[in-house]
Structure formats: structure tokens, C-alpha cells
Amino acid sequence: MVQGIMELLFDAAYLIFALAVGVYLIVKGKSKFSKMFGVMAVVLSSGDSFHLIPRVYALLTTGLEANAFALGLGKLITSVTMTVFYVILYFILESVWQPENKLKFGGRIALFVLTALRIILCVFPQNNWFSYEGNLLWGILRNIPFALIGIGIIIICFMIAHKNKDKSYAVMGVMVILSFGFYIPVVLFAHILPVIGVLMIPKTLAYVGVVVIGLLKHRQEVKSELISGKLTEKV
């Protein structure tokens, strides 16, 4: 019961914050960049809710095993929405990176192939989504293309940070590294040692860090626009 209450408080704060930031950026965003960050945050929050809400319900009522179907369905949906999250993030970064046409084409093809492979692997019945035990082998298989997408995102983040002399993108890259660093042990060992599941909390905070960077970028845009407006008035 205590675990359920703690997770309820944390998950509620996370989901509401990410959703609020997302809606704010969609409505108030001054550029396509900010609005895409908003859409990404909404996808993150809404997608995770399909897993987190059933989990909290299970912890506060009849337990995880008794709610295996709802939890499995939530995990399946979240697996797809998290992939969409990274697809959106890629296009956000691409707008800043602005690679040559050949590199842009190659990057998009790789992204679409890995995304399709990830989703196809997720929907195979061998994943045993609706069984509490799941399937470790398929858990690894479906996360291979997901990890490759993440590696690509990390590389692009650091390339932008170096090219534009903007440390915020390096921080974003670190957040993605941390998210996978906390997630991989859960995939590999949570079935043996359930307490490892607690690593999903810092993983979630890493995603919040990415959302916060988007919010800060929006504030920089607003500040730049105000400064530009004041300079125009003086002229």
C-alpha cells in the first residue's frame, strides 16, 4: 500500500507536469520547434499514463499479478508511444542540425526502418504482454531497434552541441544516455529482482529533463523576441 501511494504521488506529479508543459508549448510556442516539443511532451505523458495508471491501481488494490492484462496492454501502448517520442525528438533535432540532403535522407530512412522494426517486434504475441512473467528474449529483441534509435539521438545531440556551441544539447544527450542506462537493467533483471524496477523513477526524471530543456528553449525564444522588439522600437 505504501509503495502504491508513493508511486501515485510521483506518477501524478510527472504526468501532470509533462502534460501541462506540452499543452503550454503547443499553445504558446512561438515556433514550430517549440510546438513540436509540446507535442512530444504530450505524447510522453499520455503514452506513459496507459502503463502508470493501471500499475498504481494494481498496487493499491489486488496486486500486479491480478492485473496482468491491464499492465501488459499499458506496456504495449507505452512501448509504441515512447518510440513515437523519439521520432518526434529526431525531427526536432534535425531542424537544428540541418544536415546535408544525403545525410538527412539516410538518417530518415534509418529512423523509419528502426521504428517500423520496433513496432512490429512489439506486436508479436511471443512478447507475452498479458502474462505477468513476460518474455525476456523478446523483451531484448524489441528493445534493440529502440536502443539504436536512442544511440542515433545521442550522437546528434552531441554533434549539435559541438557545432552550435550549445551545452543544452549535450545535457539532452546525457539525459537520453541516463534514460537508457536506467531502463536496460530493468529489461534484463527486473523479472529476477523486482526491486530493480525502482530505476524507472530516475529514467522518468531523465525524460522530464528533456521536456524541461524544450521549455527553456521556448523561454529563450520569447526573450529573444522581446529584445528584438525593443530594439526595433528604438530604431
Side-chain angles (χ1 to χ4, degrees):
M1 181 65 73
V2 174
Q3 181 184 354
I5 293 173
M6 294 300 292
E7 288 199 24
L8 171 62
L9 295 174
F10 176 81
D11 293 344
Y14 155 60
L15 293 175
I16 292 171
F17 175 79
L19 181 62
V21 171
V23 172
Y24 172 77
L25 290 176
I26 291 171
V27 174
K28 298 292 186 179
K30 300 294 183 180
S31 65
K32 183 179 178 181
F33 176 89
S34 292
K35 291 183 181 295
M36 287 180 69
F37 249 110
V39 172
M40 187 181 71
V42 170
V43 168
L44 175 67
S45 175
S46 58
D48 276 0
S49 68
F50 283 98
H51 168 60
L52 296 178
I53 292 175
R55 178 177 171 81
V56 169
Y57 173 81
L59 289 172
L60 293 174
T61 56
T62 53
L64 298 176
E65 290 190 38
N67 293 273
F69 180 85
L71 289 169
L73 180 61
K75 287 180 181 178
L76 171 58
I77 295 172
T78 299
S79 295
V80 175
T81 57
M82 282 309 307
T83 310
V84 175
F85 170 90
Y86 277 109
V87 170
I88 298 171
L89 181 56
Y90 175 86
F91 281 101
I92 290 173
L93 295 173
E94 185 189 76
S95 69
V96 180
W97 179 28
Q98 295 185 343
E100 297 178 357
N101 288 334
K102 288 184 179 180
L103 189 55
K104 178 188 289 187
F105 179 76
R108 289 185 178 186
I109 291 297
L111 175 69
F112 293 145
V113 169
L114 290 172
T115 298
L117 183 58
R118 158 75 168 175
I119 294 174
I120 290 170
L121 288 172
C122 281
V123 299
F124 267 76
Q126 286 86 347
N127 285 284
N128 293 340
W129 287 112
F130 308 122
S131 168
Y132 184 71
E133 292 78 16
N135 187 313
L136 176 59
L137 174 60
W138 277 82
I140 294 172
L141 290 175
R142 67 175 180 262
N143 279 296
I144 291 174
F146 187 54
L148 292 175
I149 293 172
I151 290 171
I153 294 291
I154 292 165
I155 292 172
I156 294 172
C157 282
F158 284 106
M159 288 176 64
I160 293 173
H162 176 73
K163 178 182 177 181
N164 295 0
K165 309 300 180 184
D166 189 338
K167 293 181 180 180
S168 64
Y169 288 99
V171 174
M172 187 183 295
V174 171
M175 291 297 103
V176 178
I177 291 172
L178 290 174
S179 70
F180 277 96
F182 291 123
Y183 177 59
I184 291 173
V186 175
V187 173
L188 296 177
F189 306 116
H191 65 291
I192 300 173
L193 193 62
V195 71
I196 289 181
V198 75
L199 292 177
M200 295 300 282
I201 293 177
K203 168 188 172 291
T204 299
L205 293 176
Y207 283 124
V208 171
V210 175
V211 171
V212 169
I213 291 173
L215 180 60
L216 293 176
K217 287 294 183 184
H218 164 71
R219 294 183 64 181
Q220 287 178 2
E221 287 182 351
V222 173
K223 185 177 180 179
S224 298
E225 189 176 84
L226 289 173
I227 293 174
S228 177
K230 289 179 180 179
L231 290 175
T232 302
E233 288 177 2
K234 290 181 179 179
V235 173

